[in-house]
């Protein structure tokens, strides 16, 4: 029994080797079943040939030998189908030595019958075609373990050569047949060896792919960030984890393939991203907005990877929601660009905008009007009513300035009581806007609860396409114009000490 077991299991098999052996033997048993059914189907023709077509053959020994071989072959085929049915109904049998024993035994009998058939043909046709055909057929159809196949050949082929020498008396004919059949036996062994190793390699690769897929699914499901796997071929989502389903508001078990376009900022960007992925295999830390519902967008940082999954080229997208971070960033940017007291643009941001617009004026032939504004009597208000009222004066003046601006114009605080207005209009239109501002300031000053008048001094500087000045130079020029009006205001108020 130990010798038989060593023949069936050439070496101690564990793990993947044992799994391959079980899978391979199951595969070969299925093939033998098909071969057996096919042979049983053609045996009526063989028997018709034996009993009808060859009834007048001169060599009766050939005829009876052919009948016996065909009967033995049919008996083996039927017996195999019975045993196969019994083994198939017993799940535990697939893990015993019975499947490999059955496969090895059938292969040996298949070659043995081929040998007998070929020797029998010697008396009638003088050829060994049957033996050659069956050798190659066994190697191709039943690539059993190469060691087992070699052992069968080492037993079967010498017997064939002995019987062939007894049946064939012509020296050179015998020598030719011995050389040809021996070469065929060697070729059959290498065919069986090659096919066996190819199948084993394919099994190993398939196992690795299955294990990687299971590992991938586990990592996919436990990842704390949204992950989406989509197929490029038809732009459908293959997998998404629970986090991605919640993020995109897609049911995990909807049963309907979801459109993978949700992974991309837009249709044009999608084509560009896939093109870049084909070139580079990955795109890291792309920051963009995704539409997560018809009425909702979120800022995300995405990593795209081009991978092969289930023999398909796919895109794996790892998504990090940075919407709150973007909101905080925008809030910080807003605070960094706004004046804390008035809420209008601060000096740094306003000067940057003005400098950019001066460049555009020269490049595009546009006009600007810059107005430098200084609030009157701020020091006196602070001294008499306190700094809280002084801040109120600044805010009241700023509100009047702000609400009279056109949508394309802007205002920024230059200093304590100094503001700059930028008008995108010709001088005449800017003068009209300033007239409205002056009227609003007068109306505000006449209110009964106003303890002090709200007034400002201003100075305009017009900028044309040919003006080649920096923002600071423009502000300085407008400031000089403002001081002309400021000087006049102080002169008038000095003659009326109770104005404030």
């Amino acid at each position: 029994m130990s010798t038989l077991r060593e023949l069936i299991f050439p070496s101690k098999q564990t793990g993947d080797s044992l799994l391959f052996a079980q899978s391979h033997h199951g595969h070969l048993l299925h093939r033998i079943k098909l071969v057996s059914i096919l042979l049983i189907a053609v045996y009526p023709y063989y028997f018709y040939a034996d009993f009808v077509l060859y009834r007048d053959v001169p060599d009766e020994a050939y005829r009876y030998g052919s009948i016996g071989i065909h009967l033995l072959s049919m008996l083996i085929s039927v017996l195999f189908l019975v045993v196969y049915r019994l083994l198939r109904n017993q799940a535990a049998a697939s893990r015993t030595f019975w499947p490999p024993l059955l496969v090895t035994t059938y292969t040996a009998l298949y070659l043995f019958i081929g040998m007998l058939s070929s020797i029998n043909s010697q008396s009638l046709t003088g050829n060994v075609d049957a033996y050659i055909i069956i050798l190659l057929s066994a190697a191709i159809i039943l690539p059993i373990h190469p060691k087992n196949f070699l052992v069968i050949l080492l037993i079967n082929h010498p017997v064939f050569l002995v019987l062939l020498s007894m049946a064939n008396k012509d020296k050179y004919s015998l020598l030719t047949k011995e050389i040809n059949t021996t070469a065929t036996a060697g070729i059959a062994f290498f065919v069986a060896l090659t096919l066996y190793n190819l199948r084993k390699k394919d099994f190993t690769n398939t196992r690795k792919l299955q294990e990687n897929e299971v590992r991938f699914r586990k990592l996919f499901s436990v990842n704390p960030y949204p992950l989406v796997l989509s197929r490029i071929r038809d732009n459908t989502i293959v997998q998404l984890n629970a986090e991605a389903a919640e993020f995109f508001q897609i049911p995990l078990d909807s049963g309907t393939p979801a459109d993978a376009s949700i992974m991309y900022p837009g249709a044009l960007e999608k084509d560009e991203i896939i093109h870049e992925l084909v070139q580079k295999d990955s795109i890291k830390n792309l920051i963009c907005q995704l539409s997560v519902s018809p009425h909702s967008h979120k800022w995300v940082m995405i990593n795209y990877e081009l991978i092969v999954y289930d023999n398909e080229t796919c895109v794996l997208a790892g998504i990090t929601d940075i919407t709150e971070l973007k909101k905080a960033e925008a809030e910080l940017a807003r605070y960094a660009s706004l004046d804390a007291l008035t809420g209008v643009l601060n000096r740094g941001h306003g000067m940057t905008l003005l400098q950019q617009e001066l460049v555009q004026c020269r490049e595009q032939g546009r006009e600007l009007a810059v107005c430098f504004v200084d609030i009157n009597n701020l020091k006196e208000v602070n001294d008499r009513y306190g700094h809280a009222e002084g801040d109120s004066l600044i805010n009241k003046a700023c509100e009047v300035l702000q609400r009279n601006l056109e949508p394309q114009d802007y205002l920024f605080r230059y200093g304590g009581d100094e503001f700059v207005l930028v008008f995108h209009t010709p001088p005449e239109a800017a003068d009209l806007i300033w007239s409205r501002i002056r009227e609003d300031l007068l109306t505000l000053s006449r209110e009964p609860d106003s303890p002090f008048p709200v007034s400002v001094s201003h100075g305009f500087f017009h900028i044309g396409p040919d003006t080649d000045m920096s923002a600071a130079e423009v502000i300085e020029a407008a400031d000089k114009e403002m001081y002309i009006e400021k000087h006049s205001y102080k002169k008038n108020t000095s003659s009326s000490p109770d104005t404030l």
Side-chain angles (χ1 to χ4, degrees):
M1 179 62 74
S2 62
T3 304
L4 178 60
R5 189 177 293 275
E6 288 175 3
L7 175 62
I8 298 167
F9 299 103
S11 60
K12 188 176 181 180
Q13 295 175 317
T14 58
D16 285 349
S17 296
L18 182 58
L19 290 174
F20 166 71
Q22 292 174 350
S23 171
H24 187 56
H25 290 136
H27 178 70
L28 293 181
L29 284 173
H30 180 71
R31 283 191 174 184
I32 295 173
K33 182 190 78 169
L34 297 178
V35 171
S36 298
I37 293 172
L38 178 63
L39 289 176
I40 291 173
V42 299
Y43 281 137
Y45 174 76
Y46 288 150
F47 291 135
Y48 171 76
D50 291 336
F51 288 103
V52 178
L53 299 179
Y54 287 118
R55 67 174 178 268
D56 297 328
V57 69
D59 190 350
E60 286 292 324
Y62 167 79
R63 182 165 172 262
Y64 291 130
S66 180
I67 293 172
I69 290 170
H70 291 152
L71 284 172
L72 179 61
S73 300
M74 186 176 71
L75 178 63
I76 292 172
S77 297
V78 172
L79 185 60
F80 169 80
L81 291 176
V82 172
V83 175
Y84 178 79
R85 185 178 182 84
L86 293 174
L87 287 176
R88 189 184 62 179
N89 293 334
Q90 299 179 18
S94 64
R95 297 188 291 273
T96 66
F97 68 92
W98 284 108
L101 174 62
L102 190 59
V103 169
T104 304
T105 301
Y106 186 93
T107 304
L109 289 173
Y110 186 63
L111 291 175
F112 178 72
I113 290 173
M115 175 190 71
L116 292 180
S117 179
S118 188
I119 294 299
N120 188 52
S121 297
Q122 285 295 299
S123 60
L124 184 66
T125 62
N127 65 58
V128 288
D129 295 345
Y131 184 61
I132 291 174
I133 291 171
I134 289 178
L135 271 177
L136 294 175
S137 298
I140 295 170
I141 299 173
L142 305 173
I144 62 176
H145 194 287
K147 183 177 179 180
N148 292 356
F149 195 81
L150 181 61
V151 170
I152 293 172
L153 286 179
L154 291 176
I155 295 172
N156 197 74
H157 191 65
V159 174
F160 170 78
L161 293 178
V162 171
L163 294 176
L164 181 63
S165 64
M166 295 171 61
N168 194 321
K169 302 302 182 181
D170 184 275
K171 175 181 177 181
Y172 295 106
S173 174
L174 173 63
L175 183 60
T176 300
K177 292 172 182 176
E178 288 177 339
I179 292 173
N180 290 339
T181 55
T182 302
T184 302
I187 292 171
F189 171 73
F190 283 106
V191 169
L193 174 66
T194 301
L195 293 178
Y196 179 87
N197 287 333
L198 285 174
R199 179 160 174 77
K200 187 173 184 180
K201 184 178 180 180
D202 181 65
F203 178 84
T204 302
N205 291 336
T206 302
R207 282 276 299 168
K208 287 180 179 178
L209 286 174
Q210 291 172 345
E211 290 173 357
N212 289 337
E213 183 175 337
V214 170
R215 199 174 296 117
F216 175 80
R217 286 178 182 272
K218 287 181 179 178
L219 291 174
F220 200 89
S221 61
V222 302
N223 196 290
Y225 297 100
L227 290 178
V228 182
L229 183 68
S230 67
R231 192 165 45 224
I232 290 181
R233 174 172 55 84
D234 53 6
N235 194 42
T236 57
I237 293 177
V238 179
Q239 282 192 50
L240 73 166
N241 61 3
E243 287 72 16
E246 181 180 356
F247 182 80
F248 289 108
Q249 302 173 29
I250 299 174
L252 268 176
D253 302 319
S254 64
T256 304
D259 189 350
S261 298
I262 60 173
M263 294 166 43
Y264 306 96
L268 182 60
E269 292 85 349
K270 168 181 169 291
D271 294 339
E272 292 174 351
I273 287 169
I274 291 178
H275 178 73
E276 187 175 346
L277 280 173
V278 171
Q279 303 296 322
K280 300 180 180 178
D281 291 336
S282 67
I283 298 173
K284 302 292 186 183
N285 303 330
L286 175 67
I287 295 176
C288 60
Q289 271 191 310
L290 293 184
S291 176
V292 297
S293 74
H295 307 292
S296 176
H297 292 77
K298 289 187 178 181
W299 279 98
V300 296
M301 181 170 67
I302 309 182
N303 288 327
Y304 294 101
E305 294 285 343
L306 193 69
I307 66 172
V308 176
Y309 179 81
D310 197 20
N311 296 321
E312 293 273 6
T313 303
C314 298
V315 177
L316 176 64
I319 302 167
T320 303
D321 186 356
I322 59 169
T323 303
E324 294 304 318
L325 183 62
K326 275 290 184 180
K327 286 181 180 178
E329 184 181 288
E331 193 70 11
L332 286 173
R334 189 175 73 84
Y335 280 119
S337 62
L338 299 183
D339 175 60
L341 176 63
T342 62
V344 300
L345 298 177
N346 59 24
R347 176 171 177 167
H349 195 64
M351 292 293 284
T352 300
L353 284 178
L354 180 56
Q355 185 62 48
Q356 292 172 354
E357 296 215 70
L358 290 174
V359 174
Q360 291 173 1
C361 283
R362 291 191 291 270
E363 293 176 350
Q364 301 173 12
R366 291 166 44 196
E367 293 184 346
L368 285 178
V370 174
C371 180
F372 193 91
V373 175
D374 183 274
I375 298 175
N376 296 323
N377 303 322
L378 178 62
K379 183 178 183 307
E380 289 79 359
V381 171
N382 283 332
D383 292 342
R384 181 177 298 187
Y385 299 101
H387 286 278
E389 287 297 333
D391 290 344
S392 176
L393 172 60
I394 293 174
N395 277 315
K396 288 179 179 179
C398 184
E399 287 170 6
V400 171
L401 297 174
Q402 182 76 19
R403 70 168 171 259
N404 281 281
L405 293 178
E406 298 296 330
Q408 70 273 19
D409 302 334
Y410 59 91
L411 161 73
F412 65 90
R413 188 179 181 187
Y414 189 75
D417 58 355
E418 298 170 333
F419 291 85
V420 174
L421 291 82
V422 179
F423 299 98
H424 297 76
T425 55
E428 300 80 10
D431 287 337
L432 289 175
I433 294 174
W434 184 255
S435 297
R436 295 202 306 267
I437 292 173
R438 187 181 295 278
E439 288 298 323
D440 278 0
L441 289 173
L442 288 173
T443 302
L444 185 62
S445 297
R446 295 190 187 106
E447 291 181 358
D449 58 345
S450 178
F452 45 80
V454 182
S455 66
V456 299
S457 300
H458 79 289
F460 269 110
F461 186 79
H462 176 68
I463 301 164
D466 299 329
T467 303
D468 188 13
M469 298 171 66
S470 67
E473 290 171 336
V474 169
I475 296 295
E476 183 179 357
D479 187 24
K480 289 179 179 178
E481 294 297 319
M482 182 277 296
Y483 264 104
I484 296 173
E485 186 175 280
K486 189 77 166 178
H487 179 73
S488 175
Y489 174 80
K490 287 183 177 181
K491 182 178 180 181
N492 293 333
T493 54
S494 65
S495 60
S496 304
D498 296 328
T499 303
L500 182 58

